[in-house]
Amino acid sequence: MTVSSAPPTARNAAYQQLVAQRNAFTLTMTVTFLVLYFLLPVLAGYNKPLMAQKVLGNVTFGYLLAFAEFIMGWVMAYIYVVKARTFDRLAQEARA
């Protein structure tokens, strides 16, 4: 088996595109997740009146935001699955 000494980025433009798109997507999703994830404890610590505001009956904004984090996790997982199809296609092109 022969291994090329050239780095993968020099050998294949499809690989470069895959890495660039994957890195941009990963950075975007990570920053989005961290902002939304830390929003709950920050608001709970610094804006208690907002978190105690009743939204639907006895359901407060804080409980609604906490529930939204579960929804966010499922939505982000779905977005990843959809985007992974593009990554898989680019990986196939890079192997060819």
Side-chain angles (χ1 to χ4, degrees), residues 22 44 51 55 57-58:
R22 191 195 64 210
M51 299 300 275
V55 179
N58 286 332

Side-chain angles (χ1 to χ4, degrees), residues 5 10 15 19 27 29 32 36-39 41 48-50 56 60-61 63 69 79 83 86 88 90 94 96:
S5 62
Y15 181 76
V19 170
L27 180 65
M29 290 292 278
T32 302
L36 293 174
Y37 182 78
F38 284 113
L39 187 64
K48 291 180 183 178
L50 173 66
L56 299 168
T60 63
F61 181 76
Y63 281 119
E69 287 194 3
I79 291 169
K83 190 67 176 173
T86 303
D88 290 343
L90 289 172

Side-chain angles (χ1 to χ4, degrees), residues 28 49 51 54 62-64 86 89:
T28 303
M51 299 300 275
K54 292 189 178 184
Y63 281 119
L64 198 61
T86 303
R89 181 183 50 78

Side-chain angles (χ1 to χ4, degrees), residues 47-83:
N47 200 346
K48 291 180 183 178
L50 173 66
M51 299 300 275
Q53 182 72 35
K54 292 189 178 184
V55 179
L56 299 168
N58 286 332
V59 178
T60 63
F61 181 76
Y63 281 119
L64 198 61
L65 187 59
F67 179 71
E69 287 194 3
F70 289 99
I71 303 299
M72 173 195 63
W74 284 101
V75 168
M76 291 182 97
Y78 176 76
I79 291 169
Y80 176 78
V81 167
V82 170
K83 190 67 176 173

